[in-house]
Amino acid sequence: MKALVDGKKCTVCGVCSDVCPFGAITVGETSVEISDECTLCGMCVDTCEFGAISLPEVGAGPAADLADYNGVWVFAEWRDGTVHKVSYELLGAGRQLADKRGVELAAVLLGHGLGEALSSELIAYGADVVYLVDHPQLARFTNEAYADVLVDLIHKKRPEILLAGATSIGRSFIPRVAASVRTGLTADCTELDISEEGLLLQTRPAFGGNVMATIVCPNSRPQMATVRPKVMRPVRQPEHPGRSEVIEVSDGIFQNRVEVLEVIPEQDQTAKLTEADIIVSGGRGLGKAENFVLLEELAQLVKGAVGASRGAVEEGWIAPSHQVGQTGRTVAPTLYMAVGLSGAIQHVVGMQGSKIIVAVNKDREAPVFDVASCGVVADLFEFIPAFIRKIKQERE
Ligand SMILES: Cc1cc2nc3c(=O)[nH]c(=O)nc-3n(C[C@H](O)[C@H](O)[C@H](O)COP(=O)(O)OP(=O)(O)OC[C@H]3O[C@@H](n4cnc5c(N)ncnc54)[C@H](O)[C@@H]3O)c2cc1C
């Protein structure tokens, strides 16, 4: 789909081509052509003073009557019989959205043989209702089975908002769900709010993290967003009342062509990094791979994990699973030490949720000091060994 040009109104002035950030508009002698690069961003529509450009109608699918859609849903992800923390975080955010809209907050739990305890916990974290679908096809996650069921539930119950974690599972099947119900999806949101008209305001970094874009989905429902782990805050209220509702699905809805034979756990640092309470991250200032030993020693001493900037990863000094930032992991530990990294915006978006940020950099103008709770202007090769010695002395 792309923007439409009304040849009768177009004067071929070329202003639309100048403002298009995607280079999708070519101005010819007598007409303007819009290519498939068009993202329907609408810049050309706003700029054209002759009203010659318009966007095509979207989302006239199942959500044609928007008022029929009601309630906020959170997809409740689980692994090894335990709810993933991101689902609790999303219930925290979803609770606020539901309260502003004056609607119910639901958790959608898909699986097989899951205990009652999972539903009770989802309620304690804010869900008014847990929609539980129990079916052997859902015993292990597969894209098709999970998408088939979620699409079926959306058609049956019509939520106005659906949130999911931007985890490997969420990233894998939520776009399929959005496409199936012909609605929009904003990935990796860092902030969510509700406008007065009830539109979900979905804010996320755009253009390489240089701007924060707020995206709305005015013409179709549900309004769908994914959020990375550790971006939102969970709120546990053990007394919060809620109910479970078991929903039957017919075998006929499954079109699964995939069978999971075995699950082999990934042996990398990702889980350790996102769960760690203390992270010591290094950047290009480390100078070479061997120098990461310094940070490993410090991390071990404080029972933390080692993170890295993309600069260090690109140098090949440390594995990509350690990378923090826009194209790495989002983390929010109690203490984040940024050592010998400049604090580029793409790094900062991945760690700014940390409670305390300590930056060690020899350049006092380094941008990392703008987000640091505590800044140390020093050569890391002097400071870190001295810091390690001090911790050891204190513990003797
Ligand atoms: C689309 C896109 C996505 C990106 N995603 C990410 C991402 O997810 N994560 C990420 O980190 N980056 C990301 N980047 C890259 C980002 O823009 C920066 O290039 C990168 O973070 C820089 O890494 P750095 O801070 O280690 O290196 P540099 O910018 O080179 O900074 C090194 C720092 O070390 C300091 N230093 C040097 N020697 C010492 C010393 N002896 N003692 C103390 N300090 C010292 C210097 O003063 C300097 O501030 C992305 C970029 C783009 C375009």
Side-chain angles (χ1 to χ4, degrees), residues 21-352:
F22 305 98
I25 304 181
T26 312
V27 181
E29 291 276 302
T30 55
S31 66
V32 165
E33 294 294 326
I34 300 190
S35 75
D36 289 341
E37 300 296 306
C38 173
T39 65
L40 300 177
C41 73
M43 293 273 283
C44 52
V45 179
D46 295 342
T47 313
C48 178
E49 58 179 292
F50 307 103
I53 310 183
S54 59
L55 297 183
E57 286 286 316
V58 289
D65 191 353
L66 304 188
D68 283 355
Y69 286 72
N70 186 279
V72 177
W73 281 14
V74 169
F75 169 69
E77 187 173 331
W78 56 270
R79 311 260 173 103
D80 301 324
T82 317
V83 174
H84 193 293
K85 281 183 184 165
V86 73
S87 303
Y88 295 144
E89 293 160 14
L90 289 176
L91 285 171
R95 183 71 267 159
Q96 292 181 5
L97 300 175
D99 288 347
K100 278 191 183 171
R101 290 286 297 145
V103 296
E104 265 194 343
L105 173 64
V108 181
L109 185 58
L110 314 183
H112 183 50
L114 296 173
E116 257 302 300
L118 265 62
S119 296
S120 311
E121 273 308 282
L122 292 165
I123 291 168
Y125 277 92
D128 298 313
V129 56
V130 178
Y131 295 130
L132 174 65
V133 182
D134 186 296
H135 194 282
Q137 289 267 15
L138 302 170
R140 280 176 169 167
F141 172 78
T142 59
N143 267 316
E144 287 171 321
Y146 271 57
D148 289 343
V149 172
L150 196 49
V151 167
D152 188 55
L153 289 186
I154 290 171
H155 286 321
K156 279 181 183 148
K157 296 218 169 256
R158 302 188 159 221
E160 59 191 284
I161 292 172
L162 171 57
L163 309 176
T167 57
S168 45
I169 286 182
R171 283 170 200 254
S172 183
F173 91 109
I174 289 293
R176 176 187 286 258
V177 172
S180 300
V181 300
R182 296 174 63 194
T183 190
L185 167 67
T186 307
D188 288 350
C189 294
T190 52
E191 227 181 288
L192 296 170
D193 204 351
I194 288 279
S195 75
E196 278 179 15
E197 308 78 47
L199 284 177
L200 181 65
L201 304 174
Q202 307 159 76
T203 302
R204 57 152 297 153
F207 295 110
N210 290 319
V211 292
M212 296 302 284
T214 298
I215 295 160
V216 290
C217 177
N219 299 325
S220 53
R221 293 291 181 272
Q223 304 164 86
M224 290 181 59
T226 63
V227 179
R228 289 190 193 190
K230 298 241 179 185
V231 173
M232 306 292 173
R233 298 265 167 222
V235 182
R236 191 170 191 280
Q237 295 169 300
E239 307 305 319
H240 181 260
R243 64 186 196 282
S244 281
E245 202 178 305
V246 177
I247 299 182
E248 302 294 336
V249 289
S250 68
D251 290 345
I253 69 163
F254 293 104
Q255 297 165 11
N256 210 359
R257 291 163 297 178
V258 174
E259 187 187 352
V260 181
L261 300 178
E262 190 186 357
V263 177
I264 302 166
E266 202 181 8
Q267 297 295 331
D268 75 4
Q269 290 295 310
T270 309
K272 205 174 164 200
L273 194 64
T274 47
E275 300 299 317
D277 210 35
I278 299 180
I279 294 175
V280 186
S281 264
R284 259 193 210 114
L286 265 295
K288 55 181 176 178
E290 293 72 27
N291 290 338
F292 265 91
V293 173
L294 259 184
L295 301 194
E296 277 156 22
E297 187 183 352
L298 177 55
Q300 235 172 32
L301 209 56
V302 296
K303 296 196 170 55
V306 176
S309 71
R310 179 154 136 182
V313 170
E314 279 176 348
E315 295 288 352
W317 299 341
I318 188 161
S321 54
H322 292 262
Q323 184 179 316
V324 172
Q326 188 190 325
T327 42
R329 299 283 143 186
T330 301
V331 297
T334 305
L335 172 62
Y336 187 88
M337 284 191 73
V339 182
L341 59 84
S342 56
I345 180 72
Q346 297 89 353
H347 186 84
V348 168
V349 291
M351 55 70 140
Q352 62 194 355

